[in-house]
Amino acid sequence: MTPNMFFLLVSILFSIGLVGIISRRNLFVIYMSIELMLSSVNLLLATLSKLLGDANGSVMALLLIAVIAAEAALFLAMITHLYRQSRTLDSDHYKKLSKVK
Amino acid sequence: MLNLIVITPFISALILTIIYLLNTKKENTFIYTLIGIASPVFITLLSLFTLFELINGVPTIHSTLFEWLHIGELNISIAFMADRLSVIMISFITFIGTLIHIYAAGYMRGDEGYGKFFAYFNLFMGSMLLLVLADNPIMMFIGWELVGLSSYLLIGFYHQESSNVTAANKAFILNRVGDFGFIIGISLLFISLEGSGFTFDTIKANIQLIDNERLSLIGFLLFVGAMGKSAQIPLYVWLPDAMAGPTPVSALIHAATMVTAGVYMVSRYSFIYSEIPDIGLFIAYIGAFSALFAAILASYQSDIKKILAYSTMSQLGYMFIAVGLGAYSSGIFHVFTHAFFKALLFMGAGAVIIALHHEQNIFKMGGLKKDLRVIYITMFIATLAISGIPPFAGFFSKDAILVMAFASENYLLWVMGSLTAALTAFYMFRLLFSVFHAKSEHKHELQNVSSSMTLPLVVLAFGSTTVGFLGLNEAYGGSSLFNNFLVLPDIELHITHEVEYMLGALNVLLAFCGMLLAYKMFATNAKETLPDNRVRKLIINKFYIDEIYTFIFVRPLLLLSSFIAQTLDPKIFDGAINLSVSGYHKAAYLFEQLQNGKVRYYALYVLVGISAMSLYMIYKLGVKL
């Protein structure tokens, strides 16, 4: 396993996440795509930390995991609340902040 | 003083207009009459004073009002010039114009637009004086255009009837056609002189700068203007229609203003025309054809004013024969004498029309000899004058022109002129006999003709009898006073007195023939000529010239306009615009789709952008995938 393989994996994961955000309208899928992108960044940090023999990257990854956990709790709560209000998970349906009706 | 002559009528016209517009009840006839007549009387006195000054030896009078334009080489002053030619012109324009004004006070009495009429009338005289006294061609052109404008206003004076407005438009538009040539001619003259001054004096001094071909073109173009104003073939068709205006207007147009402007203009530019005899000959032939053509038409008309209109066209033809052949003085002399008897004829006709409650057909008149004695006698004198019977004025001026045509060996011109003379006598006496001698079929209840109408007739009749003696030439025992005074560049032709007497006698003989024929046909029992054979039909319908013009010019224009209005404009031009409009609509729709407020799409754009940039960088950095 060369570091290049890890970079490639990181790129693929990130791209899948990005395309997911763009192409899907289900809020859960979007959320999972974001998670995927964050995970890919975590993996990158860990890889670089290992490669350079520096602990900073690993520390940052650890912190990120904590943040992601908190965010997951918040995000899921919000999605549940939104679903209760309008009985749908379609992101295009949520345009209360938009001028366009 | 010259300034005053030109400005006075304009000012009085302005004052009359203001009074007329303020005075909503259209009363105050007295004030209109006072102002309307005082100003021509005043300028007549001034003009006569100027005339005496010139007779006493002053060569020319110049007077500058102010500098108007000064752009590079174009330097135009509002300036007036009175030389011997223009002083003669203004003398009879103001004198006869005044008489016509006095006559008009009687003729127009009780008319709703009395004040308006006098305002226009004064404007007309002012315009003509501006034209005549102009110091440079630009000023002359302004006067030229103002004359056209005034005639338009006056011909369409009874504007409630649409046919009168059409007649006014016709006069105006046909004059524009001529003016187009005139203004190109002036422009060409200005360019050719290369900025060496643009007054008549400097043009005269620098005329040798222009080569002969260019000069011929200029001369021709200027004459196109004269064709329009002076109603010569082919731009004459407005003249009979112009009879739609009140009769004093016809008298003013035909005697003292407007139509004589063309002859005056050619004489004014005599220094050009004497350089280009070919164009002069062309002018003479146009004049001769117009003279004969109009005389033929006049012989078959039955409207009293139209007969007189054609006779003016015919007489103008004579004047153009003269100026075309280079006998400018003789041309101006005929303008001068013609002004007297033509004004008299029109005013007499107007008086008859008024007396008969606006009847204009000569065959419905008849037998007015006793009832309208003054009018009959004065009109008889004018008819003798225009027919060229000595010693009345017309004989001397017409004879001078015909002698000139004979002496210059243009025998065709002479034959046409003589024929016209015979025809003139015929149709004028036809008019006179039908109106005053022939038995009347119905009794007329005559309306009273006021003395302000008959008095000018008497003055003019006196003039028609005597003014011919001013130009008496050697053969008739005079010394060509008029011609010698004018000092125009006339060509000199010598002809023996015997030949001259013979020509004169021949003309008188021809005139008597015409007169006798008219007497036989119309003196006792005047019948309207019916279009009973092909030739008469052709002539009575005026050779269908109006119809031909309609066919050649008016119809194609109308067709073109309707094509543009109905096809070209909505389909092609509007179509192109609508196409671009719909293009914008489509573009707007596209952007609306892009700019939809959804984050996903914006993220996509970011992705696309970043991807493109990345690809570009990869390509530039030469990374091989």
Side-chain angles (χ1 to χ4, degrees):
Chain A
M1 290 285 268
T2 57
N4 278 352
M5 290 305 283
F6 280 96
F7 290 142
L8 188 62
L9 182 62
V10 164
S11 304
I12 290 170
L13 284 177
F14 190 87
S15 300
I16 290 172
L18 190 58
V19 171
I21 286 180
I22 289 165
S23 60
R24 303 301 293 267
R25 303 200 308 211
N26 191 310
L27 284 176
F28 271 112
V29 180
I30 292 171
Y31 164 63
M32 286 193 299
S33 302
I34 293 170
E35 288 303 299
L36 203 57
M37 287 163 81
L38 284 168
S39 302
S40 75
V41 173
N42 263 352
L43 186 56
L44 184 66
L45 284 167
T47 312
L48 284 170
S49 178
K50 174 83 175 151
L51 206 63
L52 299 170
D54 186 348
N56 281 346
S58 302
V59 173
M60 222 188 278
L62 207 62
L63 273 171
L64 258 176
I65 290 168
V67 171
I68 290 169
E71 178 238 16
L74 205 62
F75 221 136
L76 287 170
M78 275 169 69
I79 292 172
T80 316
H81 181 70
L82 284 172
Y83 178 74
R84 280 188 185 153
Q85 271 203 332
S86 56
R87 295 279 152 196
T88 174
L89 286 176
D90 188 344
S91 67
D92 283 0
H93 190 76
Y94 300 110
K95 44 187 176 185
K96 281 191 179 166
L97 291 176
S98 160
K99 265 196 233 167
V100 182
K101 292 288 173 206
Chain B
M1 193 158 72
L2 290 179
N3 298 343
L4 215 55
I5 293 177
V6 178
I7 292 170
T8 309
F10 284 111
I11 291 178
S12 63
L14 185 70
I15 295 171
L16 284 169
T17 311
I18 293 169
I19 298 175
Y20 180 76
L21 291 176
L22 291 180
N23 174 19
T24 44
K25 283 184 192 160
K26 313 298 174 210
E27 286 162 355
N28 282 347
T29 315
F30 177 71
I31 291 183
Y32 294 138
T33 317
L34 185 72
I35 299 175
I37 293 177
S39 91
V41 169
F42 177 62
I43 55 176
T44 307
L45 293 176
L46 287 182
S47 305
L48 292 177
F49 192 71
T50 318
L51 176 66
F52 283 122
E53 232 175 297
L54 261 76
I55 287 175
N56 286 337
V58 181
T60 48
I61 305 172
H62 286 272
S63 121
T64 308
L65 206 56
F66 57 89
E67 192 175 68
W68 181 35
L69 278 178
H70 194 138
I71 309 166
E73 290 169 350
L74 186 67
N75 186 1
I76 306 296
S77 298
I78 302 291
F80 305 111
M81 172 185 71
D83 61 356
R84 293 182 162 195
L85 173 61
S86 46
V87 97
I88 290 281
M89 290 293 288
I90 59 169
S91 307
F92 78 79
I93 289 169
T94 51
F95 178 68
I96 292 177
T98 306
L99 290 176
I100 298 174
H101 271 76
I102 294 167
Y103 172 84
Y107 188 92
M108 299 301 289
R109 183 173 294 159
D111 193 280
E112 207 183 319
Y114 190 81
K116 187 168 70 174
F117 182 82
F118 272 101
Y120 289 167
F121 234 41
N122 279 353
L123 178 69
F124 207 158
M125 270 196 45
S127 315
M128 189 66 192
L129 290 170
L130 179 65
L131 193 165
V132 172
L133 286 175
D135 176 55
N136 55 56
I138 304 290
M139 294 276 294
M140 189 182 190
F141 186 70
I142 296 171
W144 189 268
E145 289 302 309
L146 279 174
V147 167
L149 169 72
S150 330
S151 72
Y152 168 77
L153 293 171
L154 283 166
I155 292 167
F157 186 74
Y158 297 129
H159 56 79
Q160 286 85 355
E161 253 178 71
S162 72
S163 64
N164 295 346
V165 179
T166 313
N169 284 341
K170 193 171 176 183
F172 196 70
I173 292 165
L174 272 165
N175 268 297
R176 287 291 80 60
V177 176
D179 294 346
F180 186 65
F182 190 58
I183 196 162
I184 295 176
I186 292 178
S187 314
L188 209 58
L189 188 63
F190 178 73
I191 296 166
S192 310
L193 286 169
E194 293 160 355
S196 49
F198 204 51
T199 65
F200 286 118
D201 288 340
T202 53
I203 296 171
K204 193 173 178 177
N206 294 311
I207 201 70
Q208 72 281 0
L209 281 177
I210 309 172
D211 64 62
N212 209 281
E213 281 169 23
R214 176 70 74 88
L215 207 59
S216 303
L217 183 62
I218 293 170
F220 172 73
L221 287 169
L222 292 175
F223 178 62
V224 170
M227 276 180 189
K229 274 278 174 296
S230 298
Q232 295 295 293
I233 289 172
L235 298 178
Y236 72 91
V237 286
W238 65 271
L239 193 73
D241 288 25
M243 294 298 111
T247 308
V249 176
S250 312
L252 195 61
I253 290 181
H254 288 255
T257 61
M258 185 116 178
V259 295
T260 57
V263 184
Y264 169 74
M265 192 266 289
V266 175
S267 307
R268 172 53 73 208
Y269 286 110
S270 54
F271 52 87
I272 292 183
Y273 285 102
S274 50
E275 302 277 319
I276 41 172
D278 287 350
I279 296 292
L281 207 58
F282 169 73
I283 294 175
Y285 272 101
I286 289 280
F289 276 110
S290 300
L292 189 58
F293 183 74
I296 292 169
L297 289 183
S299 307
Y300 283 90
Q301 293 290 311
S302 52
D303 183 315
I304 186 166
K305 283 176 76 180
K306 286 200 172 159
I307 296 173
L308 293 177
Y310 281 118
S311 95
T312 305
M313 180 181 160
S314 181
Q315 298 301 313
L316 285 165
Y318 277 118
M319 298 165 200
F320 278 111
I321 294 177
V323 293
L325 290 176
Y328 304 102
S329 312
S330 306
I332 293 294
F333 185 45
H334 197 52
V335 170
F336 176 67
T337 56
H338 175 253
F340 283 90
F341 51 74
K342 187 44 66 66
L344 174 50
L345 282 169
F346 264 111
M347 284 151 73
V352 172
I353 291 169
I354 285 280
L356 292 179
H357 308 275
H358 296 278
E359 174 59 62
Q360 299 204 4
N361 190 332
I362 53 169
F363 297 107
K364 292 183 181 159
M365 298 175 177
L368 298 172
K369 190 164 55 167
K370 279 186 193 131
D371 302 315
L372 303 172
R373 184 155 290 276
V374 179
I375 298 168
Y376 169 62
I377 293 169
T378 52
M379 274 192 87
F380 202 99
I381 290 171
T383 308
L384 287 172
I386 198 173
S387 307
I389 309 286
F392 297 97
F395 169 73
F396 298 105
S397 54
K398 195 188 282 184
D399 189 54
I401 292 168
L402 289 173
V403 166
M404 186 69 200
F406 188 82
S408 67
E409 295 177 345
N410 291 301
Y411 297 115
L412 181 61
L413 287 178
W414 174 72
V415 169
M416 284 164 83
S418 303
L419 260 177
T420 309
L423 274 173
T424 307
F426 170 68
Y427 69 73
M428 285 312 301
F429 277 100
R430 169 177 178 265
L431 185 154
L432 193 81
F433 289 143
S434 308
V435 174
F436 294 104
H437 288 248
K439 265 186 291 182
S440 174
E441 283 169 14
H442 27 255
K443 258 193 137 24
H444 303 294
E445 280 183 29
L446 295 176
Q447 192 177 321
N448 194 27
V449 176
S450 69
S451 61
S452 82
M453 289 168 75
T454 48
L455 211 64
L457 295 180
V458 177
V459 178
L460 284 174
F462 179 72
S464 304
T465 320
T466 52
V467 291
F469 293 102
L470 285 176
L472 219 56
N473 61 12
E474 234 177 290
Y476 297 104
S479 56
S480 305
L481 210 61
F482 193 90
N483 294 17
N484 290 337
F485 177 71
L486 273 174
V487 287
L488 287 166
D490 290 331
I491 54 165
E492 296 281 333
L493 289 173
H494 289 287
I495 189 163
T496 55
H497 288 180
E498 285 75 28
V499 180
E500 208 162 321
Y501 292 138
M502 264 169 58
L503 289 171
L506 181 68
N507 281 328
V508 175
L509 194 70
L510 282 170
F512 271 113
C513 288
M515 199 170 150
L516 274 179
L517 189 63
Y519 185 80
K520 254 189 128 178
M521 287 169 75
F522 299 101
T524 48
N525 204 1
K527 279 269 167 356
E528 186 157 3
T529 327
L530 295 170
D532 49 2
N533 65 27
R534 205 171 279 174
V535 177
R536 278 189 190 149
K537 205 173 163 191
L538 192 67
I539 298 173
I540 287 173
N541 286 305
K542 298 166 254 171
F543 291 98
Y544 297 101
I545 298 287
D546 276 317
E547 283 77 3
I548 291 170
Y549 280 4
T550 309
F551 187 75
I552 297 177
F553 298 109
V554 181
R555 284 262 305 280
L557 264 177
L558 281 177
L559 280 177
L560 185 67
S561 314
S562 72
F563 171 71
I564 290 171
Q566 283 162 18
T567 313
L568 207 59
D569 198 41
K571 300 236 166 87
I572 301 202
F573 294 122
D574 287 356
I577 290 165
N578 287 337
L579 199 70
S580 71
V581 168
S582 80
Y584 283 115
H585 267 296
K586 295 226 165 79
Y589 181 72
L590 190 69
F591 285 114
E592 190 189 292
Q593 295 302 307
L594 292 176
Q595 189 92 0
N596 58 5
K598 287 174 185 153
V599 181
R600 290 189 298 119
Y601 285 86
Y602 297 157
L604 176 68
Y605 308 150
V606 173
L607 176 65
V608 170
I610 289 172
S611 309
M613 271 165 66
S614 309
L615 278 174
Y616 176 74
M617 277 158 72
I618 288 167
Y619 171 73
K620 270 283 164 187
L621 294 172
V623 179
K624 294 208 173 70
L625 291 171

